[in-house]
Coordinates of all heavy atoms in Angstrom, one line a residue:
V1 N -11.5 7.4 3.9 CA -10.9 7.3 5.2 C -11.2 5.9 5.8 O -10.5 5.3 6.5 CB -11.3 8.4 6.2 CG1 -10.8 8.2 7.5 CG2 -10.9 9.7 5.6
I2 N -12.4 5.4 5.4 CA -12.8 4.1 5.9 C -11.9 3.0 5.3 O -11.5 2.1 6.1 CB -14.2 3.8 5.6 CG1 -15.1 4.7 6.5 CG2 -14.6 2.3 5.9 CD1 -16.6 4.7 6.1
A3 N -11.5 3.2 4.1 CA -10.7 2.2 3.4 C -9.3 2.1 4.1 O -8.8 1.0 4.2 CB -10.5 2.6 1.9
K4 N -8.8 3.2 4.5 CA -7.5 3.2 5.3 C -7.5 2.3 6.5 O -6.5 1.7 6.8 CB -7.2 4.7 5.6 CG -6.2 4.9 6.7 CD -6.0 6.3 7.0 CE -6.6 6.8 8.3 NZ -5.7 6.8 9.4
S5 N -8.7 2.2 7.1 CA -8.8 1.4 8.3 C -9.2 -0.1 7.9 O -8.7 -1.0 8.6 CB -9.8 2.0 9.2 OG -9.5 3.2 9.6
W6 N -10.0 -0.2 7.0 CA -10.5 -1.5 6.6 C -9.6 -2.4 5.8 O -9.4 -3.6 6.1 CB -11.8 -1.4 5.8 CG -12.4 -2.7 5.5 CD1 -13.3 -3.5 6.2 CD2 -12.3 -3.4 4.3 NE1 -13.6 -4.6 5.7 CE2 -13.0 -4.7 4.4 CE3 -11.6 -3.3 3.1 CZ2 -13.0 -5.6 3.5 CZ3 -11.6 -4.3 2.1 CH2 -12.4 -5.5 2.3
F7 N -8.8 -1.8 4.9 CA -7.9 -2.6 4.1 C -6.8 -3.3 4.9 O -6.5 -4.4 4.7 CB -7.2 -1.7 2.9 CG -8.2 -1.5 1.8 CD1 -8.1 -0.3 1.2 CD2 -9.1 -2.4 1.4 CE1 -9.0 0.0 0.1 CE2 -10.0 -2.2 0.4 CZ -9.9 -0.9 -0.3
P8 N -6.3 -2.6 5.9 CA -5.2 -3.5 6.7 C -5.8 -4.6 7.4 O -5.2 -5.7 7.6 CB -4.8 -2.4 7.8 CG -4.8 -1.1 7.0 CD -6.1 -1.2 6.3
I9 N -7.2 -4.5 7.8 CA -7.8 -5.7 8.4 C -8.0 -6.8 7.4 O -7.8 -7.9 7.6 CB -9.2 -5.2 9.0 CG1 -8.9 -4.3 10.2 CG2 -10.0 -6.5 9.4 CD1 -10.2 -3.6 10.6
A10 N -8.4 -6.4 6.2 CA -8.5 -7.4 5.1 C -7.2 -8.0 4.7 O -7.2 -9.3 4.5 CB -9.1 -6.8 3.8
I11 N -6.1 -7.2 4.8 CA -4.8 -7.8 4.5 C -4.4 -8.8 5.6 O -3.9 -9.9 5.3 CB -3.8 -6.7 4.3 CG1 -4.1 -5.8 3.1 CG2 -2.4 -7.2 4.3 CD1 -3.4 -4.5 3.1
A12 N -4.6 -8.4 6.8 CA -4.2 -9.3 8.0 C -5.0 -10.6 8.0 O -4.4 -11.7 8.3 CB -4.4 -8.6 9.3
A13 N -6.3 -10.5 7.4 CA -7.1 -11.7 7.3 C -6.8 -12.5 6.0 O -7.5 -13.5 5.7 CB -8.5 -11.3 7.4
D14 N -5.9 -12.1 5.2 CA -5.4 -12.7 4.0 C -6.6 -12.8 2.9 O -6.8 -13.8 2.3 CB -4.8 -14.0 4.3 CG -3.9 -14.5 3.0 OD1 -3.4 -13.6 2.3 OD2 -3.7 -15.7 2.9
M15 N -7.4 -11.8 2.9 CA -8.6 -11.7 2.0 C -8.1 -11.3 0.6 O -8.1 -10.1 0.2 CB -9.7 -10.7 2.5 CG -10.3 -11.1 3.7 SD -11.5 -9.9 4.3 CE -12.6 -9.9 3.0
Q16 N -7.4 -12.2 -0.1 CA -6.8 -12.0 -1.4 C -7.8 -11.4 -2.5 O -7.4 -10.8 -3.4 CB -6.0 -13.1 -1.9 CG -4.9 -13.4 -1.0 CD -4.0 -14.6 -1.6 OE1 -4.1 -15.0 -2.8 NE2 -3.0 -15.0 -0.7
Q17 N -9.0 -11.7 -2.3 CA -10.1 -11.2 -3.3 C -10.3 -9.7 -3.1 O -10.7 -9.1 -4.0 CB -11.4 -11.9 -3.0 CG -12.1 -11.6 -1.7 CD -11.8 -12.6 -0.6 OE1 -10.7 -13.2 -0.6 NE2 -12.7 -12.8 0.3
A18 N -9.7 -9.0 -2.1 CA -9.7 -7.7 -1.9 C -8.5 -7.0 -2.6 O -8.6 -5.7 -2.7 CB -9.8 -7.2 -0.5
A19 N -7.6 -7.7 -3.1 CA -6.4 -7.1 -3.7 C -6.7 -6.1 -4.8 O -6.1 -5.0 -4.9 CB -5.5 -8.2 -4.2
P20 N -7.6 -6.4 -5.8 CA -7.8 -5.4 -6.8 C -8.4 -4.0 -6.4 O -7.9 -3.0 -6.8 CB -8.9 -6.0 -7.6 CG -8.7 -7.6 -7.5 CD -8.3 -7.6 -6.1
Q21 N -9.2 -4.1 -5.3 CA -9.7 -2.8 -4.7 C -8.6 -2.1 -3.9 O -8.5 -0.9 -3.9 CB -10.9 -3.2 -3.7 CG -12.2 -3.6 -4.4 CD -12.1 -5.1 -4.7 OE1 -11.2 -5.9 -4.4 NE2 -13.1 -5.5 -5.4
I22 N -7.7 -2.9 -3.3 CA -6.6 -2.3 -2.5 C -5.7 -1.6 -3.5 O -5.3 -0.4 -3.4 CB -5.9 -3.3 -1.7 CG1 -6.9 -3.8 -0.5 CG2 -4.6 -2.7 -1.1 CD1 -6.3 -5.0 0.2
E23 N -5.4 -2.2 -4.6 CA -4.5 -1.7 -5.6 C -5.1 -0.4 -6.2 O -4.4 0.6 -6.4 CB -4.2 -2.7 -6.7 CG -3.3 -2.1 -7.8 CD -2.9 -3.2 -8.8 OE1 -3.0 -4.4 -8.6 OE2 -2.5 -2.7 -9.9
A24 N -6.4 -0.4 -6.6 CA -7.1 0.7 -7.1 C -7.1 1.8 -6.1 O -6.8 3.0 -6.5 CB -8.6 0.3 -7.4
Y25 N -7.3 1.6 -4.8 CA -7.2 2.7 -3.8 C -5.8 3.3 -3.8 O -5.7 4.5 -3.8 CB -7.6 2.0 -2.4 CG -7.4 2.9 -1.3 CD1 -8.3 3.9 -0.9 CD2 -6.2 2.8 -0.5 CE1 -8.2 4.7 0.1 CE2 -6.1 3.7 0.6 CZ -7.1 4.6 0.9 OH -6.9 5.4 2.0
L26 N -4.8 2.5 -3.8 CA -3.4 3.0 -3.7 C -3.1 3.8 -4.9 O -2.2 4.7 -4.8 CB -2.4 1.9 -3.5 CG -2.5 1.2 -2.0 CD1 -1.7 0.0 -2.0 CD2 -2.3 2.2 -0.9
V27 N -3.6 3.4 -6.0 CA -3.3 4.1 -7.2 C -4.1 5.5 -7.4 O -3.4 6.5 -7.7 CB -3.6 3.3 -8.5 CG1 -3.6 4.1 -9.8 CG2 -2.7 2.1 -8.6
V28 N -5.2 5.6 -6.8 CA -6.0 6.8 -6.8 C -5.8 7.7 -5.7 O -5.7 8.9 -5.9 CB -7.6 6.4 -6.9 CG1 -8.4 7.6 -6.8 CG2 -7.9 5.6 -8.2
V29 N -5.6 7.1 -4.5 CA -5.4 8.0 -3.3 C -3.8 8.3 -3.1 O -3.1 7.2 -3.1 CB -6.0 7.3 -2.1 CG1 -5.7 8.2 -0.8 CG2 -7.5 7.2 -2.3
G30 N -3.4 9.4 -3.0 CA -2.0 9.8 -2.9 C -1.6 10.4 -1.6 O -0.4 10.6 -1.4
R31 N -2.5 10.7 -0.7 CA -2.2 11.3 0.5 C -1.5 10.3 1.5 O -1.9 9.2 1.7 CB -3.6 11.7 1.3 CG -4.3 12.7 0.5 CD -3.7 14.1 0.4 NE -3.6 14.7 1.7 CZ -3.6 15.9 2.0 NH1 -3.8 16.8 1.0 NH2 -3.4 16.3 3.2
R32 N -0.3 10.7 1.9 CA 0.6 9.9 2.7 C -0.2 9.3 3.9 O -0.1 8.1 4.2 CB 1.7 10.7 3.2 CG 2.8 9.9 4.0 CD 3.9 10.7 4.5 NE 5.0 9.9 5.1 CZ 4.8 9.4 6.3 NH1 3.8 9.8 7.1 NH2 5.8 8.7 6.8
Y33 N -0.9 10.2 4.6 CA -1.7 9.6 5.8 C -2.8 8.6 5.5 O -3.2 7.9 6.3 CB -2.2 10.7 6.7 CG -3.5 11.4 6.3 CD1 -4.7 11.0 6.8 CD2 -3.6 12.4 5.2 CE1 -5.9 11.5 6.4 CE2 -4.8 12.9 4.8 CZ -5.9 12.6 5.5 OH -7.1 13.1 5.0
L34 N -3.2 8.6 4.3 CA -4.2 7.6 3.8 C -3.6 6.3 3.2 O -4.2 5.3 3.1 CB -5.2 8.2 2.8 CG -6.1 9.4 3.3 CD1 -6.8 10.0 2.2 CD2 -6.9 8.9 4.5
V35 N -2.4 6.4 2.8 CA -1.8 5.2 2.1 C -0.8 4.5 3.0 O -0.6 3.2 2.8 CB -1.2 5.4 0.7 CG1 -2.3 6.0 -0.2 CG2 0.0 6.3 0.8
M36 N -0.1 5.1 3.9 CA 1.0 4.5 4.7 C 0.6 3.2 5.4 O 1.3 2.3 5.5 CB 1.7 5.5 5.5 CG 2.7 6.3 4.6 SD 3.8 5.5 3.5 CE 5.0 4.8 4.7
A37 N -0.6 3.3 6.1 CA -1.0 2.2 6.9 C -1.3 1.0 6.0 O -1.1 -0.2 6.4 CB -2.3 2.5 7.7
V38 N -1.9 1.3 4.8 CA -2.1 0.2 3.9 C -0.8 -0.5 3.4 O -0.7 -1.7 3.4 CB -3.0 0.6 2.7 CG1 -3.3 -0.5 1.7 CG2 -4.4 1.2 3.3
Y39 N 0.1 0.3 3.0 CA 1.4 -0.2 2.5 C 2.1 -0.9 3.7 O 2.7 -2.0 3.5 CB 2.3 0.9 2.0 CG 2.0 1.3 0.6 CD1 1.5 2.6 0.3 CD2 2.4 0.5 -0.5 CE1 1.3 2.9 -1.1 CE2 2.2 0.8 -1.8 CZ 1.7 2.1 -2.1 OH 1.5 2.4 -3.4
G40 N 2.0 -0.4 4.9 CA 2.6 -1.0 6.0 C 2.0 -2.4 6.2 O 2.7 -3.4 6.5
A41 N 0.8 -2.6 6.2 CA 0.1 -3.9 6.4 C 0.5 -4.8 5.2 O 0.7 -6.0 5.4 CB -1.4 -3.7 6.3
L42 N 0.6 -4.3 3.9 CA 1.0 -5.1 2.9 C 2.4 -5.7 3.0 O 2.6 -6.9 2.8 CB 0.9 -4.3 1.5 CG -0.4 -3.9 1.0 CD1 -0.4 -2.9 -0.1 CD2 -1.2 -5.2 0.6
V43 N 3.3 -4.8 3.5 CA 4.7 -5.2 3.7 C 4.8 -6.2 4.9 O 5.5 -7.2 4.8 CB 5.6 -3.9 3.9 CG1 6.9 -4.3 4.4 CG2 5.6 -3.2 2.6
E44 N 4.0 -5.9 5.9 CA 4.1 -6.7 7.1 C 3.6 -8.2 6.8 O 4.2 -9.2 7.3 CB 3.2 -6.1 8.3 CG 3.3 -6.9 9.6 CD 2.6 -6.2 10.7 OE1 2.4 -5.0 10.7 OE2 2.0 -7.0 11.4
K45 N 2.6 -8.3 6.0 CA 2.0 -9.6 5.7 C 3.0 -10.4 4.7 O 3.1 -11.5 4.8 CB 0.6 -9.4 5.0 CG -0.2 -10.7 4.9 CD -0.6 -11.3 6.2 CE -1.6 -12.4 6.0 NZ -1.9 -13.1 7.3
G46 N 3.7 -9.7 3.8 CA 4.7 -10.2 3.0 C 4.1 -11.1 1.9 O 2.9 -11.2 1.7
G47 N 4.9 -11.7 1.2 CA 4.5 -12.7 0.2 C 3.7 -12.0 -1.0 O 4.1 -11.1 -1.5
F48 N 2.5 -12.6 -1.2 CA 1.5 -12.1 -2.1 C 1.3 -10.6 -1.9 O 1.2 -9.9 -2.8 CB 0.3 -12.9 -2.1 CG -0.9 -12.3 -2.7 CD1 -1.1 -12.5 -4.1 CD2 -1.8 -11.5 -2.1 CE1 -2.1 -12.0 -4.8 CE2 -2.9 -11.0 -2.8 CZ -3.1 -11.2 -4.2
W49 N 1.1 -10.3 -0.7 CA 0.7 -8.9 -0.3 C 1.8 -7.9 -0.6 O 1.6 -6.8 -1.0 CB 0.3 -8.8 1.2 CG -1.0 -9.5 1.3 CD1 -1.3 -10.7 1.9 CD2 -2.3 -9.2 0.8 NE1 -2.6 -11.1 1.8 CE2 -3.2 -10.1 1.1 CE3 -2.8 -8.1 0.0 CZ2 -4.7 -10.0 0.8 CZ3 -4.1 -8.0 -0.3 CH2 -5.0 -8.9 0.1
R50 N 3.1 -8.3 -0.4 CA 4.2 -7.4 -0.7 C 4.2 -7.2 -2.1 O 4.5 -6.1 -2.6 CB 5.5 -8.0 -0.2 CG 6.7 -6.9 -0.4 CD 8.0 -7.4 0.2 NE 8.9 -6.3 0.0 CZ 9.4 -5.9 -1.2 NH1 9.0 -6.5 -2.3 NH2 10.3 -4.9 -1.3
D51 N 4.0 -8.2 -3.0 CA 3.9 -8.0 -4.4 C 2.9 -7.0 -4.8 O 3.1 -6.3 -5.7 CB 3.7 -9.4 -5.1 CG 4.8 -10.3 -4.9 OD1 6.0 -9.9 -4.6 OD2 4.6 -11.6 -5.1
V52 N 1.7 -7.1 -4.1 CA 0.6 -6.1 -4.4 C 1.2 -4.8 -4.1 O 0.9 -3.8 -4.9 CB -0.6 -6.4 -3.5 CG1 -1.6 -5.3 -3.7 CG2 -1.3 -7.8 -4.0
A53 N 1.9 -4.6 -3.0 CA 2.5 -3.2 -2.7 C 3.4 -2.7 -3.8 O 3.3 -1.6 -4.2 CB 3.1 -3.3 -1.4
V54 N 4.3 -3.6 -4.2 CA 5.3 -3.3 -5.2 C 4.6 -2.9 -6.6 O 4.9 -1.9 -7.2 CB 6.3 -4.3 -5.4 CG1 7.1 -4.1 -6.6 CG2 7.1 -4.5 -4.2
K55 N 3.6 -3.6 -7.0 CA 2.9 -3.4 -8.1 C 2.1 -2.1 -8.1 O 2.1 -1.3 -9.0 CB 1.9 -4.6 -8.4 CG 1.2 -4.6 -9.8 CD 0.3 -5.8 -9.8 CE -0.7 -5.7 -11.0 NZ -1.6 -6.8 -11.0
S56 N 1.4 -1.9 -7.0 CA 0.6 -0.7 -6.8 C 1.5 0.6 -6.8 O 1.2 1.5 -7.5 CB -0.1 -0.8 -5.5 OG -1.0 -1.9 -5.5
F57 N 2.6 0.5 -6.1 CA 3.5 1.6 -6.1 C 4.1 1.9 -7.4 O 4.3 3.0 -7.8 CB 4.7 1.3 -5.0 CG 5.6 2.5 -4.9 CD1 5.1 3.8 -4.5 CD2 6.9 2.3 -5.1 CE1 5.9 4.8 -4.3 CE2 7.8 3.5 -5.0 CZ 7.3 4.6 -4.6
A58 N 4.5 0.9 -8.2 CA 4.9 1.1 -9.5 C 4.0 1.9 -10.4 O 4.4 2.7 -11.1 CB 5.3 -0.2 -10.2
K59 N 2.7 1.6 -10.2 CA 1.7 2.3 -11.0 C 1.4 3.7 -10.5 O 1.1 4.6 -11.2 CB 0.3 1.5 -10.9 CG 0.3 0.3 -11.7 CD -1.1 -0.4 -11.6 CE -1.1 -1.7 -12.4 NZ -2.5 -2.3 -12.4
A60 N 1.5 3.9 -9.1 CA 1.1 5.2 -8.5 C 2.1 6.2 -8.3 O 1.9 7.4 -8.1 CB 0.4 4.8 -7.2
K61 N 3.4 5.7 -8.2 CA 4.4 6.7 -7.7 C 4.6 8.0 -8.5 O 4.9 9.0 -8.0 CB 5.8 5.9 -7.7 CG 6.4 5.5 -8.9 CD 7.7 4.8 -8.6 CE 8.3 4.2 -9.9 NZ 9.5 3.4 -9.6
A62 N 4.3 7.9 -9.8 CA 4.4 9.2 -10.6 C 3.4 10.2 -10.2 O 3.7 11.4 -10.3 CB 4.2 8.9 -12.1
N63 N 2.3 9.8 -9.6 CA 1.3 10.8 -9.1 C 1.4 11.1 -7.7 O 0.6 12.0 -7.2 CB -0.1 10.2 -9.5 CG -0.3 10.1 -11.0 OD1 0.2 10.9 -11.7 ND2 -0.9 9.0 -11.4
Y64 N 2.2 10.4 -6.9 CA 2.3 10.7 -5.5 C 3.2 12.0 -5.2 O 4.1 12.4 -6.1 CB 3.2 9.6 -4.8 CG 2.2 8.3 -4.5 CD1 2.8 7.2 -4.0 CD2 0.9 8.3 -4.7 CE1 2.0 6.1 -3.6 CE2 0.1 7.2 -4.4 CZ 0.7 6.1 -3.9 OH 0.0 5.0 -3.5
H65 N 2.9 12.7 -4.2 CA 3.8 13.8 -3.7 C 5.1 13.2 -3.5 O 5.2 12.0 -3.0 CB 3.1 14.5 -2.5 CG 3.8 15.7 -2.1 ND1 4.9 15.5 -1.2 CD2 3.7 16.9 -2.2 CE1 5.3 16.8 -1.0 NE2 4.6 17.6 -1.6
S66 N 6.1 14.0 -3.5 CA 7.5 13.5 -3.4 C 7.6 12.9 -1.9 O 8.3 12.0 -1.7 CB 8.5 14.6 -3.6 OG 8.3 15.7 -2.8
I67 N 7.1 13.5 -0.9 CA 7.2 13.0 0.5 C 6.6 11.6 0.5 O 7.1 10.6 1.1 CB 6.6 13.9 1.6 CG1 7.4 15.2 1.5 CG2 6.5 13.3 2.9 CD1 6.9 16.3 2.3
T68 N 5.4 11.4 0.0 CA 4.7 10.1 0.0 C 5.5 9.1 -0.8 O 5.7 8.0 -0.3 CB 3.3 10.2 -0.6 OG1 2.5 11.2 0.1 CG2 2.5 8.9 -0.7
R69 N 5.9 9.5 -2.0 CA 6.8 8.7 -2.9 C 8.0 8.2 -2.1 O 8.3 7.0 -2.0 CB 7.1 9.4 -4.2 CG 7.8 8.5 -5.2 CD 8.1 9.2 -6.4 NE 8.8 10.5 -6.3 CZ 8.2 11.7 -6.6 NH1 6.9 11.8 -7.0 NH2 8.8 12.7 -6.4
D70 N 8.8 9.1 -1.4 CA 9.9 8.7 -0.7 C 9.6 7.8 0.5 O 10.4 6.8 0.8 CB 10.7 10.0 -0.2 CG 11.3 10.7 -1.4 OD1 11.2 10.3 -2.6 OD2 11.6 12.0 -1.2
S71 N 8.5 8.1 1.2 CA 8.2 7.2 2.4 C 7.9 5.8 2.0 O 8.3 4.9 2.6 CB 6.9 7.9 3.0 OG 7.3 9.1 3.6
V72 N 7.1 5.7 0.9 CA 6.7 4.3 0.4 C 7.9 3.6 -0.1 O 8.2 2.4 0.2 CB 5.6 4.3 -0.6 CG1 5.2 3.0 -1.1 CG2 4.3 5.0 0.0
A73 N 8.7 4.3 -0.9 CA 10.0 3.7 -1.4 C 10.9 3.2 -0.4 O 11.4 2.1 -0.4 CB 10.7 4.7 -2.3
K74 N 11.0 4.0 0.7 CA 11.8 3.6 1.8 C 11.2 2.3 2.6 O 11.9 1.4 2.9 CB 12.0 4.7 2.9 CG 12.9 4.3 4.0 CD 13.1 5.5 5.0 CE 14.0 5.3 6.2 NZ 14.2 3.9 6.6
L75 N 10.0 2.4 2.7 CA 9.2 1.2 3.4 C 9.5 -0.1 2.6 O 9.8 -1.1 3.1 CB 7.7 1.5 3.5 CG 6.9 0.4 4.1 CD1 7.2 0.1 5.5 CD2 5.5 0.7 3.9
L76 N 9.3 0.0 1.3 CA 9.6 -1.2 0.4 C 10.9 -1.6 0.4 O 11.3 -2.8 0.3 CB 9.0 -0.8 -1.0 CG 7.5 -0.7 -1.1 CD1 7.1 -0.3 -2.6 CD2 6.7 -1.9 -0.7
A77 N 11.9 -0.6 0.4 CA 13.3 -1.0 0.3 C 13.7 -1.7 1.6 O 14.4 -2.7 1.6 CB 14.1 0.3 0.1
D78 N 13.3 -1.1 2.7 CA 13.6 -1.7 4.0 C 13.0 -3.1 4.2 O 13.7 -4.0 4.7 CB 13.0 -0.8 5.1 CG 13.8 0.5 5.4 OD1 14.9 0.7 4.7 OD2 13.3 1.3 6.1
S79 N 11.8 -3.4 3.6 CA 11.2 -4.6 3.7 C 11.9 -5.7 2.7 O 11.9 -6.9 3.0 CB 9.7 -4.6 3.4 OG 9.6 -4.3 1.9
A80 N 12.6 -5.1 1.7 CA 13.4 -6.1 0.8 C 14.6 -6.7 1.5 O 15.1 -7.7 1.2 CB 13.7 -5.3 -0.5
K81 N 15.1 -5.9 2.5 CA 16.3 -6.3 3.2 C 16.0 -7.4 4.2 O 16.9 -8.1 4.5 CB 16.9 -5.1 3.9 CG 17.4 -4.0 3.0 CD 17.8 -2.8 3.8 CE 18.2 -1.6 3.0 NZ 18.5 -0.5 3.8
N82 N 14.8 -7.5 4.6 CA 14.4 -8.5 5.6 C 14.1 -9.8 5.0 O 13.8 -10.2 4.1 CB 13.3 -8.0 6.4 CG 13.6 -6.8 7.3 OD1 14.8 -6.5 7.6 ND2 12.7 -6.0 7.5

């Protein structure tokens, strides 16, 4: 639960050295309420961070609950339009 709060701060501060830990978290944790804030921060920051989101989701989506998978897919699709 701490990671859900800390990772968006690290993303906003552009701490790219945290990317491997963020990706590992998103691949292991599949609860929607624990991953959406992190994905949201990744998408909002854009660039390198959006790429981390896409890469992490590609690895994790098979293990996500369908609601989580659909929510993240929509977030990524909507961000691709902008």
Side-chain angles (χ1 to χ4, degrees):
V1 176
I2 293 171
K4 156 184 112 92
S5 300
W6 184 82
F7 285 145
I9 294 168
I11 294 161
D14 201 26
M15 294 177 58
Q16 293 187 10
Q17 66 270 27
Q21 291 83 7
I22 293 169
E23 182 177 338
Y25 172 81
L26 293 172
V27 170
V28 172
V29 176
R31 301 288 300 209
R32 185 182 185 280
Y33 80 99
L34 293 174
V35 300
M36 286 306 293
V38 178
Y39 276 112
L42 291 167
V43 166
E44 184 178 326
K45 190 71 173 174
F48 167 83
W49 292 108
R50 187 178 183 289
D51 293 343
V52 171
V54 170
K55 181 179 171 188
S56 299
F57 183 59
K59 289 182 180 179
K61 67 182 174 182
N63 296 321
Y64 282 174
H65 184 278
S66 61
I67 294 172
T68 303
R69 186 175 53 246
D70 292 348
S71 296
V72 176
K74 182 177 181 339
L75 177 70
L76 293 175
D78 289 349
S79 73
K81 295 176 186 174
N82 297 331

